[in-house]
PDB file of all heavy atoms in Angstrom:
ATOM      1  N   TYR F1398      60.297 -48.217 -40.055  1.00 89.00           N
ATOM      2  CA  TYR F1398      60.738 -48.647 -38.727  1.00 89.00           C
ATOM      3  C   TYR F1398      59.787 -49.712 -38.177  1.00 89.00           C
ATOM      4  O   TYR F1398      60.215 -50.700 -37.602  1.00 89.00           O
ATOM      5  CB  TYR F1398      60.826 -47.444 -37.791  1.00 89.00           C
ATOM      6  CG  TYR F1398      61.332 -47.760 -36.407  1.00 89.00           C
ATOM      7  CD1 TYR F1398      62.639 -48.195 -36.211  1.00 89.00           C
ATOM      8  CD2 TYR F1398      60.509 -47.638 -35.299  1.00 89.00           C
ATOM      9  CE1 TYR F1398      63.104 -48.497 -34.951  1.00 89.00           C
ATOM     10  CE2 TYR F1398      60.963 -47.939 -34.036  1.00 89.00           C
ATOM     11  CZ  TYR F1398      62.265 -48.375 -33.862  1.00 89.00           C
ATOM     12  OH  TYR F1398      62.719 -48.680 -32.611  1.00 89.00           O
ATOM     13  N   ALA F1399      58.484 -49.503 -38.398  1.00 87.00           N
ATOM     14  CA  ALA F1399      57.498 -50.489 -37.934  1.00 87.00           C
ATOM     15  C   ALA F1399      57.678 -51.815 -38.676  1.00 87.00           C
ATOM     16  O   ALA F1399      57.539 -52.893 -38.080  1.00 87.00           O
ATOM     17  CB  ALA F1399      56.077 -49.945 -38.146  1.00 87.00           C
ATOM     18  N   LYS F1400      58.004 -51.768 -39.989  1.00 88.00           N
ATOM     19  CA  LYS F1400      58.219 -52.994 -40.762  1.00 88.00           C
ATOM     20  C   LYS F1400      59.445 -53.738 -40.242  1.00 88.00           C
ATOM     21  O   LYS F1400      59.443 -54.965 -40.126  1.00 88.00           O
ATOM     22  CB  LYS F1400      58.403 -52.666 -42.242  1.00 88.00           C
ATOM     23  CG  LYS F1400      57.120 -52.337 -42.951  1.00 88.00           C
ATOM     24  CD  LYS F1400      57.397 -52.062 -44.429  1.00 88.00           C
ATOM     25  CE  LYS F1400      56.138 -51.656 -45.150  1.00 88.00           C
ATOM     26  NZ  LYS F1400      56.387 -51.332 -46.558  1.00 88.00           N
ATOM     27  N   GLU F1401      60.522 -52.987 -39.937  1.00 86.00           N
ATOM     28  CA  GLU F1401      61.738 -53.614 -39.420  1.00 86.00           C
ATOM     29  C   GLU F1401      61.474 -54.310 -38.100  1.00 86.00           C
ATOM     30  O   GLU F1401      61.938 -55.437 -37.865  1.00 86.00           O
ATOM     31  CB  GLU F1401      62.841 -52.570 -39.240  1.00 86.00           C
ATOM     32  CG  GLU F1401      63.430 -52.054 -40.516  1.00 86.00           C
ATOM     33  CD  GLU F1401      64.458 -50.962 -40.265  1.00 86.00           C
ATOM     34  OE1 GLU F1401      64.921 -50.803 -39.110  1.00 86.00           O
ATOM     35  OE2 GLU F1401      64.794 -50.260 -41.222  1.00 86.00           O
ATOM     36  N   ILE F1402      60.698 -53.659 -37.243  1.00 86.00           N
ATOM     37  CA  ILE F1402      60.386 -54.253 -35.941  1.00 86.00           C
ATOM     38  C   ILE F1402      59.544 -55.513 -36.143  1.00 86.00           C
ATOM     39  O   ILE F1402      59.769 -56.543 -35.502  1.00 86.00           O
ATOM     40  CB  ILE F1402      59.664 -53.231 -35.030  1.00 86.00           C
ATOM     41  CG1 ILE F1402      60.622 -52.107 -34.633  1.00 86.00           C
ATOM     42  CG2 ILE F1402      59.090 -53.898 -33.795  1.00 86.00           C
ATOM     43  CD1 ILE F1402      59.994 -51.007 -33.822  1.00 86.00           C
ATOM     44  N   ALA F1403      58.604 -55.440 -37.066  1.00 83.00           N
ATOM     45  CA  ALA F1403      57.754 -56.609 -37.336  1.00 83.00           C
ATOM     46  C   ALA F1403      58.577 -57.753 -37.901  1.00 83.00           C
ATOM     47  O   ALA F1403      58.383 -58.925 -37.537  1.00 83.00           O
ATOM     48  CB  ALA F1403      56.638 -56.230 -38.300  1.00 83.00           C
ATOM     49  N   GLU F1404      59.574 -57.480 -38.784  1.00 82.00           N
ATOM     50  CA  GLU F1404      60.411 -58.516 -39.358  1.00 82.00           C
ATOM     51  C   GLU F1404      61.297 -59.131 -38.300  1.00 82.00           C
ATOM     52  O   GLU F1404      61.518 -60.343 -38.282  1.00 82.00           O
ATOM     53  CB  GLU F1404      61.245 -57.947 -40.494  1.00 82.00           C
ATOM     54  CG  GLU F1404      60.451 -57.644 -41.749  1.00 82.00           C
ATOM     55  CD  GLU F1404      61.316 -56.975 -42.828  1.00 82.00           C
ATOM     56  OE1 GLU F1404      62.543 -56.818 -42.627  1.00 82.00           O
ATOM     57  OE2 GLU F1404      60.725 -56.585 -43.852  1.00 82.00           O
ATOM     58  N   GLU F1405      61.823 -58.307 -37.408  1.00 80.00           N
ATOM     59  CA  GLU F1405      62.668 -58.827 -36.320  1.00 80.00           C
ATOM     60  C   GLU F1405      61.872 -59.725 -35.400  1.00 80.00           C
ATOM     61  O   GLU F1405      62.369 -60.771 -34.958  1.00 80.00           O
ATOM     62  CB  GLU F1405      63.289 -57.678 -35.541  1.00 80.00           C
ATOM     63  CG  GLU F1405      64.363 -56.937 -36.261  1.00 80.00           C
ATOM     64  CD  GLU F1405      64.874 -55.744 -35.464  1.00 80.00           C
ATOM     65  OE1 GLU F1405      64.483 -55.554 -34.290  1.00 80.00           O
ATOM     66  OE2 GLU F1405      65.688 -54.981 -36.033  1.00 80.00           O
ATOM     67  N   GLU F1406      60.637 -59.365 -35.137  1.00 76.00           N
ATOM     68  CA  GLU F1406      59.796 -60.210 -34.261  1.00 76.00           C
ATOM     69  C   GLU F1406      59.476 -61.530 -34.974  1.00 76.00           C
ATOM     70  O   GLU F1406      59.455 -62.582 -34.357  1.00 76.00           O
ATOM     71  CB  GLU F1406      58.487 -59.472 -33.903  1.00 76.00           C
ATOM     72  CG  GLU F1406      58.708 -58.357 -32.918  1.00 76.00           C
ATOM     73  CD  GLU F1406      57.414 -57.601 -32.594  1.00 76.00           C
ATOM     74  OE1 GLU F1406      56.334 -57.956 -33.110  1.00 76.00           O
ATOM     75  OE2 GLU F1406      57.492 -56.655 -31.821  1.00 76.00           O
ATOM     76  N   ASP F1407      59.244 -61.451 -36.295  1.00 73.00           N
ATOM     77  CA  ASP F1407      58.957 -62.651 -37.051  1.00 73.00           C
ATOM     78  C   ASP F1407      60.201 -63.566 -37.087  1.00 73.00           C
ATOM     79  O   ASP F1407      60.092 -64.785 -36.972  1.00 73.00           O
ATOM     80  CB  ASP F1407      58.518 -62.314 -38.479  1.00 73.00           C
ATOM     81  CG  ASP F1407      57.133 -61.711 -38.532  1.00 73.00           C
ATOM     82  OD1 ASP F1407      56.374 -61.889 -37.545  1.00 73.00           O
ATOM     83  OD2 ASP F1407      56.779 -61.080 -39.554  1.00 73.00           O
ATOM     84  N   ASP F1408      61.402 -62.970 -37.261  1.00 70.00           N
ATOM     85  CA  ASP F1408      62.644 -63.747 -37.301  1.00 70.00           C
ATOM     86  C   ASP F1408      62.931 -64.355 -35.941  1.00 70.00           C
ATOM     87  O   ASP F1408      63.453 -65.469 -35.847  1.00 70.00           O
ATOM     88  CB  ASP F1408      63.826 -62.869 -37.729  1.00 70.00           C
ATOM     89  CG  ASP F1408      63.753 -62.456 -39.183  1.00 70.00           C
ATOM     90  OD1 ASP F1408      63.009 -63.121 -39.937  1.00 70.00           O
ATOM     91  OD2 ASP F1408      64.425 -61.445 -39.563  1.00 70.00           O
ATOM     92  N   GLY F1409      62.613 -63.677 -34.891  1.00 64.00           N
ATOM     93  CA  GLY F1409      62.883 -64.157 -33.537  1.00 64.00           C
ATOM     94  C   GLY F1409      61.958 -65.286 -33.157  1.00 64.00           C
ATOM     95  O   GLY F1409      62.292 -66.130 -32.326  1.00 64.00           O
ATOM     96  N   MET F1410      60.828 -65.404 -33.738  1.00 61.00           N
ATOM     97  CA  MET F1410      59.862 -66.442 -33.370  1.00 61.00           C
ATOM     98  C   MET F1410      60.140 -67.731 -34.145  1.00 61.00           C
ATOM     99  O   MET F1410      59.693 -68.789 -33.773  1.00 61.00           O
ATOM    100  CB  MET F1410      58.451 -65.978 -33.649  1.00 61.00           C
ATOM    101  CG  MET F1410      58.010 -64.842 -32.799  1.00 61.00           C
ATOM    102  SD  MET F1410      56.248 -64.844 -32.841  1.00 61.00           S
ATOM    103  CE  MET F1410      55.926 -64.045 -31.356  1.00 61.00           C
ATOM    104  N   LEU F1411      60.861 -67.713 -35.190  1.00 55.00           N
ATOM    105  CA  LEU F1411      61.141 -68.911 -35.981  1.00 55.00           C
ATOM    106  C   LEU F1411      62.184 -69.736 -35.375  1.00 55.00           C
ATOM    107  O   LEU F1411      62.795 -70.117 -34.702  1.00 55.00           O
ATOM    108  CB  LEU F1411      61.588 -68.546 -37.383  1.00 55.00           C
ATOM    109  CG  LEU F1411      60.527 -67.926 -38.263  1.00 55.00           C
ATOM    110  CD1 LEU F1411      61.186 -67.559 -39.575  1.00 55.00           C
ATOM    111  CD2 LEU F1411      59.367 -68.859 -38.506  1.00 55.00           C
TER     112      LEU F1411
END
Side-chain angles (χ1 to χ4, degrees):
Y1398 183 66
K1400 283 182 183 178
E1401 288 177 15
I1402 292 176
E1404 288 176 4
E1405 288 176 7
E1406 287 178 2
D1407 288 341
D1408 290 341
M1410 294 200 155
L1411 292 177

